[in-house]
Amino acid sequence: MIAKISGGKDTAGLIRYLFDTEKAKDHLDPHLVASWDGFAPDPGRTDDFAAARKLLVADLNLHVKQARRLGRAPEKHTWHCSIRAAESDRVLSDEEWADIARRVVAATGIAPEGDPDGCRWVAVRHAPDHIHIAATKVRGDLRPARHWNDYLTADRELAAIENEYGLFQVVRGDCTAAKRPTRAEQEKAQRAGHDKPARERLRATVRTAVAAASSMEEFVHLLSHVDGVLVEIVHFPSGDVRGYKVAAEDTTTAGKEPVWFSGSELAPDLSFPKIRKRLENIEPHAAGQPGRRRPSPWRQATASMERIAHHLDRIDDQAAQAHLAAFGEALDALPLLAPRSLRSQLRKAASAFERATRSRVQAEHHHGRALRGAVRAMLREPAPKDGATLAMFLDAAILVAITATRWHQLRHQDQQVATAQRTLLHLQAAYDQAAAAPLAALASRRPPQETVDRHMLHLRQAVPDHLEQIIQDPAFGSLTAVLAEAEAEGHAPERLLQQAVDHRALDDARRPARVLTWRVQRLSARPAPSTRARAAQARSATAQPTGTREHAGASVATSQTPRARRR
């Protein structure tokens, strides 16, 4: 159920509208289903409609007129709340609608339960799927009604009503969503031939600029060089920067100013102070040390995203919210780096996850410094030529989307859950397309059957519950290829598999062989342990307590590579 609340200053006009059957097409059978005392005159159930309507207006206005004599009546003294059921809901009876109306006026403070001085109100039903509640906002003691945050309190009560009546559960927000375009903005965009209103287009542009910038100066510079976007910096009288506002050039008409939007009007997290706070928490990309290869920002970003799942499992909500915001920035920047064929799905993923980056939890942005720094470094370096790097990045992004969905579900943040789920669908579509070529290249390097059989034994030890699913996965050949290549470089395949499984459970993986393939490939990119390091691991294992010594010893024995065993 959805409530819509408004105010006015004409009781007679409101009642006239509610009982009108000529102009309003859906006013089929207007009649009262409930009122403040159960005895209000019903114009819809009387022969003298005009007299009953006049009497009803006089009864509703009684306290308003009394307060007006004392100078206490508010100018806008009417309260109008329409409540509409979902199309899939059953048709409710008049008695059920009456109960819903009483609960809503009680919850909102119009007529609290058990309060003899509550405001006067009536509930009018003129169609099967909705009612209208009309009230005057002066109490019996001639004080104004206490109905602050009436939309939120009505929405909470309707959520309880949906649950009790077995109705469709509406996805509700927490007042952190971006403002929707008005009807006028939507119609103007249609006339101009745009698929989105200026507000939504500017919001996407600003979010991309935030994801690419490393400072406020660079943020303003990037915005100023976007085609079709006007930028204006607002200053305090002292000269300090107060904020910014943007406008689309196509909203400018002859002789009129462009339609400007401040950052906070685009989205709550795009205000100038919040952007500045985020940009102050960016970790510089690590430079390569002499004699060592410079670390890849793509791999650093992938590793940071893989750790987000662990951060979301912890109690620190402020840190978790910061990691979600940083992940949202990574999605905003990704279309700038991906092949053209993937950009549409990636833009949709970024647009959907925007809602999942905001909640009532205040983010401590210093927790997302590493991912932000890696993303900025990605934008300043050539995109990788191999598709495997992008596939690994998207694989980690899918994991974040899954864990973000669960994190929001535990906090009953319905809108964020829905958008995180939509993000997951777009990321999976992009990943399927991006991973096809590199997986095929790996499968062409599948090792001999003898090596495959040996790796199957390793898989049986590491993931016994998923072995059959992994073998049947089309990417099984790619997995055996990366295991064989890692073993040739000096890694222990069973140890890599165990690390991959410990880092990410496979219960939520659609294609577990693909998940293990990218994880093993990323782990094998690290230098292989030397013979001395393996010997130290063996000594450490023999020093373990008796209860775990046999298992550890077996693990170390099987972790020796063929070359080490020959030695």
Side-chain angles (χ1 to χ4, degrees), residues 445-448 451 455 479-489 493:
R445 304 198 297 267
R446 178 169 174 159
T451 305
H455 291 322
L479 175 59
T480 57
V482 297
L483 287 172
E485 293 173 359
E487 187 177 36
E489 294 176 0

Side-chain angles (χ1 to χ4, degrees), residues 2-24:
I2 297 176
K4 184 177 180 181
I5 298 175
S6 60
K9 53 184 178 181
D10 185 4
T11 308
L14 176 58
I15 297 301
R16 187 185 310 113
Y17 162 75
L18 295 181
F19 284 93
D20 174 50
T21 57
E22 296 180 359
K23 295 181 180 180

